[in-house]
Every structure is written in structure tokens, then in C-alpha cells.
Amino acid sequence: MENRLKYLFALQIVDSQLQEVHDLKGDLPGLVDELGLKVDELKTTIKDLNSTLKQSKVNRDKADVEIIDLAEKVEKYKNQQLNVKSNKQYDALTREIEAAEKKSVQLEKDMETYETQMEAAKNANETLTKQLEQISEELDEKKKELREVNKEHEKEESKYHHERDKIIARIDKQDLERYERIKKAKGGIAVVAVKRNACGGCFSRVPPQKILEIRQNNLFFTCEHCGRILVSDHIVSVSKIL
Ligand SMILES: [Zn+2]
């Protein structure tokens, strides 16, 4: 039992040291992730805008060609009208001309719509491309800063991770789960020593009887107030020389 408590406290020490290193990095890792996501989002939006632009251009050019075709047809029908033999034929051609002209008017309107779309896509593209440049630059800077901080603490961190792995190998699964659960709920601190008759985590008073029992080092005791695992000074001192 003493060993179980000892390894849990040792794990707590290493985890607190890792947390310290993590705190030194501040919000850099989060910031790098956030900026990276923004860059990806902007790239996707710009790609979508480019395909909109391309499609609108294709549609506009198609409408343009169609308008020219229709004008040629109208010209042809008008010529034919000069040589028709009957009113019926003449009227049929008039209807063709009217239909072609009507379609042409619609296509002109469509062309305007496509051009408006192109203009909007172009403007949005310009704005977003500028934004992308700025954010990419910022991302590169923050990445560089993070690389430097990481490099600075690399050895320290890998030493702690190595220690952590060694300690974890000696802790049984249930104890570890319990530890992780409390750690997560209690701001990274799961195991604390009793200091001056109080819980080292929340500073609530620990009853004298309980302190005596904790000193036996043969049971798990948790703080009645915060739920953290309480250990004796003895556990603290043997954990340090692990
Ligand atoms: Zn407590």
C-alpha cells in the first residue's frame, strides 16, 4: 500500500513539473492550432471563390456566344422574310425572330448577373487573400516562437516524460484511473500532502483522527472537502528519492 501511495505522489510531482513547462509555453500551442485552422478555412473559401469565378466566366462567355448566334439567326430570318411566298411563312418567321430576340434579352440579363457574380467573387478573393497572407505570416511567427520554446524545454520535458513512463509502469490501472480522474477535475492536482493539519490542495482542516490514519500509509484517504488523495509527510519524502 505504501508503494501505491508513493508512486501516485511521485507521478503527481512529475505531472506538476510537466504542467510548469506547459505553462511556460503559455497559449502559444493553442494559438498555433487556432491560426492553422483559420489558414485552412481561408484556403478552402478562396478555392471555392475561384471555382465560382471560373464557372461564372464560363457561363458568361457561353451566353455571349449564344447572343451572337441569335443575332445571326435574326439576320437570316429577316432575309428569308424578303423572299417568302405566303403570309403564313412570313408570320412564322416573325415568330421566330421575336422568340430569338426575347431569348437574347434574357441572355443579356444573365450576362449581367454572371458579371456581378464575378465581380463579387473577385473582390472577396482579394480581401481574403490579403487576410490569408497576414494570418499565414502571423502563424509562421508563432510557430517559430513555439519551436524556440519547445527547443528550450525539450530535454527537460523528455526527461519528465521518461520518468512518468517509468512511474506509470509501477502503478496499477485502477489507481491510475482514479488519479487521472481527480487530476482532471481538480486543476491538475490529484495527490497532496497534509500540511499543518490541513489538505494541501484546498487547505481544509483534516480531523486529527484522520491524520493519524493517514500516517499509517496503508489506506487511500481523500480530502472530505475537495476529494484529492491525501498522503503523509513520509510518503512525500520517500517519493522524492525515487
Ligand atoms: Zn482538500
Side-chain angles (χ1 to χ4, degrees), residues 2-228:
E2 189 178 316
N3 278 341
R4 284 170 70 188
L5 291 168
K6 187 173 82 180
Y7 290 128
L8 279 185
F9 192 71
L11 181 61
Q12 180 65 69
I13 294 172
V14 173
D15 278 348
S16 297
Q17 282 162 332
L18 276 169
Q19 184 60 44
E20 259 177 54
V21 176
H22 182 83
D23 290 347
L24 281 174
K25 294 180 190 175
D27 54 2
L28 264 181
L31 202 57
V32 166
D33 286 348
E34 210 179 287
L35 289 171
L37 276 178
K38 261 192 208 161
V39 165
D40 289 346
E41 267 173 30
L42 278 172
K43 280 184 181 164
T44 309
T45 313
I46 289 172
K47 208 173 137 199
D48 289 348
L49 279 172
N50 280 333
S51 26
T52 306
L53 186 65
K54 217 168 155 188
Q55 190 55 50
S56 300
K57 196 169 182 290
V58 168
N59 291 342
R60 185 205 59 186
D61 292 347
K62 211 173 126 198
D64 200 18
V65 169
E66 242 181 293
I67 288 169
I68 294 167
D69 282 351
L70 286 168
E72 278 170 9
K73 268 185 196 160
V74 168
E75 203 56 35
K76 196 180 81 190
Y77 296 145
K78 280 183 179 167
N79 281 331
Q80 283 173 358
Q81 274 183 328
L82 298 174
N83 302 310
V84 289
K85 306 271 185 307
S86 69
N87 281 340
K88 206 178 154 190
Q89 276 179 324
Y90 188 91
D91 292 344
L93 285 166
T94 303
R95 279 195 298 275
E96 292 286 353
I97 291 166
E98 279 169 1
E101 280 170 345
K102 201 178 158 196
K103 197 170 178 200
S104 194
V105 169
Q106 183 55 50
L107 284 168
E108 298 266 5
K109 278 186 193 159
D110 290 349
M111 268 180 79
E112 272 175 40
T113 308
Y114 296 136
E115 273 172 14
T116 310
Q117 281 173 357
M118 283 163 65
E119 194 60 28
K122 252 188 228 168
N123 288 339
N125 205 333
E126 261 174 46
T127 312
L128 293 180
T129 303
K130 265 184 214 156
Q131 265 183 35
L132 178 62
E133 275 169 25
Q134 278 173 0
I135 294 174
S136 299
E137 223 172 272
E138 204 185 331
L139 176 61
D140 287 343
E141 266 172 43
K142 294 294 169 198
K143 269 187 178 168
K144 203 179 143 210
E145 277 176 45
L146 183 60
R147 265 200 304 275
E148 277 161 17
V149 181
N150 279 340
K151 211 176 146 193
E152 212 177 302
H153 299 285
E154 216 176 9
K155 275 188 191 154
E156 219 180 339
E157 249 181 316
S158 78
K159 188 187 92 188
Y160 293 145
H161 279 297
H162 184 64
E163 273 177 39
R164 193 176 200 277
D165 290 343
K166 276 202 305 197
I167 297 166
I168 279 182
R170 291 161 150 170
I171 297 176
D172 75 47
K173 200 169 160 262
Q174 264 185 319
D175 284 357
L176 187 61
E177 276 171 8
R178 186 175 182 179
Y179 169 87
E180 295 290 1
R181 201 174 52 239
I182 303 174
K183 191 180 122 188
K184 203 176 158 198
K186 294 292 161 190
I189 310 287
V191 189
V192 291
V194 178
K195 280 179 198 161
R196 285 188 216 102
N197 302 332
C199 162
C202 71
F203 311 109
S204 297
R205 195 177 159 274
V206 182
Q209 181 55 36
K210 202 166 179 179
I211 292 179
L212 288 178
E213 287 168 341
I214 290 167
R215 284 195 186 134
Q216 312 265 311
N217 305 315
N218 58 12
L219 274 175
F220 269 114
F221 283 101
T222 51
C223 169
E224 284 165 21
H225 201 77
C226 68
R228 291 185 179 99

